[in-house]
Structures are given as structure tokens and as C-alpha cells.
Amino acid sequence: MTLDDLRVFTAVCRTGSLSAAARELSCTQSAVSQHVKRLEREVGQTLLERHTRGVAPTPAGRLLQAAVTEGLGGIDDALRRLDELTQGDAGTVRVTTGATTVRHFMSAAVADFRRRFPRAGLEFQTETSSRGCFDALAAGGVDLAWITLGPAPGTVEQRAVVQLPWALAVCATDPLAGRASVDPGDLQDARLIGLPRNSTSRRQLGAWLTESGITPVFDTSVADWDTAILLAELGLGHAVVPVLPAWLGPDHPDLRLIPLPALPALTAGWAARRWDALSPLALAFADTVAHHCGRGRTATAVARPTVG
């Protein structure tokens, strides 16, 4: 049993197929299969079961996957830290987050960070959900994840940075556009543009609507917040979204954001495997983003960290 065997096995579990793992690892499907078979011979158990759409770990495979993912993630973290000790401020900070997050939360911070650490590198990996970000952290491929805070694996620490108030997004000609605020009852039977299906923001919104006795109809589901805003501005529906500063300026003349004061704010921030294991550069980038978010016009800074 080798580290390569274990890395290949976790890649197969994560991607759900031998061919997808082979593409990710830049090797052949036959090589992936050989690694898995060698592991199964070593442990004396079947680790993967075949399905019509790919493969999935057996109970024994899930047990090994959890242990290997945690162990390899720690090894990769340690190797990066050792490399950074020799590179100093020429190291690289690896961040995973959603497709539009960098523009909304990090653009000023990235410019500031690059001025302060001109030799440092920044790498961004896009995920479609907080779950995907947690998986990337566990695998050791990234240092930090910018997420909507919510339930997280016990191996992940979360740190709140900003609270985002919610609003109903409508076009300027909509009958609701002149309202000072919107109540939960105004959303009853509303036909809404749905936030990304697997997102924490959609789950939190859905839970709040259910608690309020509201049963809206989601006509359309989109991949990100910006698309929901675009469709609302075009008059193609209403969207309940967290308020972001970029949507309030002259770039969106036909958009109106009507506050929803009864809806608890959405909290966004950082996640990491262990804060005390982050490199000085990663900590500096996290702090830089938090500093600039605290200066935002619509976001409320949150000082105290939380551990998930």
C-alpha cells in the first residue's frame, strides 16, 4: 500500500468514477483500477461497488476514505508549510469559493494583498457549494474556503466575517418596487427565482420560509446570485437574495432591492482545516479580506470567530 494508492482511491470516491479520477490525476483508467485493486488486496475487503452511473465506496470503503482524506490532507498541509518556510513571502495561498465570490468580496483585498506581498501567489478554485469547499479543504488541496456559514464537518473551523441582510430583488417597473420593505406574507405564493440548489443560502432561505408558513413557487433555479439579480432586473421574476454592495450602484439602474427585515441575516466568512496550522501568508490574506469586508456599505462586520 502506497500513498499513491490512497490518493487515487480518495480521488475515485470524490469523483464517483474511475475515468473521472483518471482525468483528474492525468493517468489512465487502467492505472486507477490497478491502484484500487492493490488496496483491496491489502485490506482484504471490497472498497468500491459499481453502479450504472459510476462507483461508490462500500461501508469499508467509506471508513477508509474518511481516514485517508483526513490523513492526506494533514500531510499535504505540512508539506506546503515546509515549502513556505523556505519561500517566505513568495509562497502561494490557495482559496476555494463560489464563482462570483472573488468579485463581490475580495477584489479590493486581492489588490491590497498583492501590493503588500508582491512575490506571493494566489490560486482560486471554484466550487458550486459549501459542501464542495469542505471537501477541497479535507483533501488538502486548498488553504482557505470562503463560504456561507452553516453546518460543517467537525474537522473544519469556520470564522464569521460579514452578515448580509436579505432583500427582494425586482425590476424598477414592478408594483413592489416602491415599497420601503417587504413582509413574509408578501412572499406567499410568489413565483421566485431560486438560488443555487445545493447552496447553504438556499437551504437557509427555505428553512426560514417554512418556519414563516410561506410556500413560494421557484420558477427558475440559477447557478449563482448574479444570475438571479440579472433575471430580476430584466423583469423575469423576483429573487430573494443577500444584499451585496456591487448591486447598489449605477451598474444596475433598473434593479430595486427591497429590504426583508424579518429574515435573519446570512453570515459569510472563512473556513479552514485548522487556523493555527495556516501559513502566515494565508492568515494575512484572510485578514485582508476581512478588513475590506468590514468597510463595505451593506455588510456588517462580525468580529468573533466560530468553530464548526
Side-chain angles (χ1 to χ4, degrees):
M1 182 185 305
T2 67
L3 281 178
D4 282 343
D5 293 337
L6 298 173
R7 290 186 190 279
V8 170
F9 172 68
T10 57
V12 172
C13 292
R14 185 174 63 255
T15 60
S17 78
L18 300 180
S19 58
R23 288 193 297 272
E24 180 179 295
L25 299 170
S26 300
C27 64
T28 66
Q29 185 171 330
S30 174
V32 170
S33 180
Q34 290 173 16
H35 282 290
V36 173
K37 288 178 180 177
R38 183 160 52 228
L39 266 182
E40 290 181 327
R41 287 196 301 269
E42 289 269 354
V43 301
Q45 302 239 20
T46 300
L47 299 175
L48 296 173
E49 51 189 6
R50 273 69 179 174
H51 299 288
T52 55
R53 294 187 176 182
V55 298
T58 63
R62 288 194 295 272
L63 181 65
L64 181 62
Q65 179 193 10
V68 171
T69 298
E70 176 68 17
L72 288 178
I75 292 171
D76 288 339
D77 281 346
L79 291 175
R80 279 204 304 274
R81 290 295 305 277
L82 290 173
D83 185 52
E84 287 161 353
L85 288 175
T86 62
Q87 294 188 55
D89 62 359
T92 299
V93 180
R94 300 165 180 85
V95 180
T96 182
T97 188
T100 63
T101 299
V102 175
R103 177 168 66 253
H104 287 300
F105 295 100
M106 301 184 192
S107 55
V110 167
D112 187 4
F113 181 79
R114 294 305 297 270
R115 283 193 298 270
R116 293 166 55 206
F117 302 98
R119 299 201 303 151
L122 286 170
E123 292 182 5
F124 293 96
Q125 174 180 317
T126 300
E127 295 289 346
T128 58
S129 66
S130 293
R131 177 72 264 174
C133 291
F134 294 148
D135 289 344
L137 285 172
V142 296
D143 305 297
L144 293 161
W146 181 270
I147 59 166
T148 301
L149 268 62
T155 55
V156 171
E157 297 180 0
Q158 299 181 77
R159 179 167 295 180
V161 176
V162 291
Q163 289 187 328
L164 305 170
W166 291 86
L168 182 67
V170 302
C171 69
T173 58
D174 190 273
L176 294 174
R179 294 277 296 272
S181 64
V182 177
D183 297 321
D186 296 318
L187 300 180
Q188 181 63 46
D189 300 322
R191 306 184 75 84
L192 298 176
I193 299 164
L195 298 178
R197 290 186 181 277
N198 297 324
S199 65
T200 302
S201 54
R202 178 156 175 164
R203 288 195 299 271
Q204 292 188 12
L205 174 61
W208 175 79
L209 292 173
T210 300
E211 291 172 3
S212 302
I214 307 301
T215 54
V217 177
F218 290 100
D219 274 350
T220 307
S221 289
V222 296
D224 55 68
W225 295 344
D226 279 344
T227 304
I229 283 295
L230 174 62
L231 295 181
E233 189 171 10
L234 292 173
L236 301 180
H238 297 165
V240 179
V241 293
V243 179
L244 301 178
W247 296 336
L248 300 175
D251 291 338
H252 294 277
D254 297 321
L255 177 68
R256 299 293 181 269
L257 296 173
I258 310 167
L260 268 163
L263 178 52
L266 195 70
T267 304
W270 288 116
R273 283 169 57 89
R274 283 176 47 203
W275 284 99
D276 61 2
L278 287 174
S279 69
L281 273 179
L283 286 170
F285 182 70
D287 288 343
T288 302
V289 171
H291 170 72
H292 283 274
C293 283
R295 297 166 58 184
R297 288 180 292 166
T298 63
T300 302
V302 179
R304 297 178 64 84
T306 61
V307 177

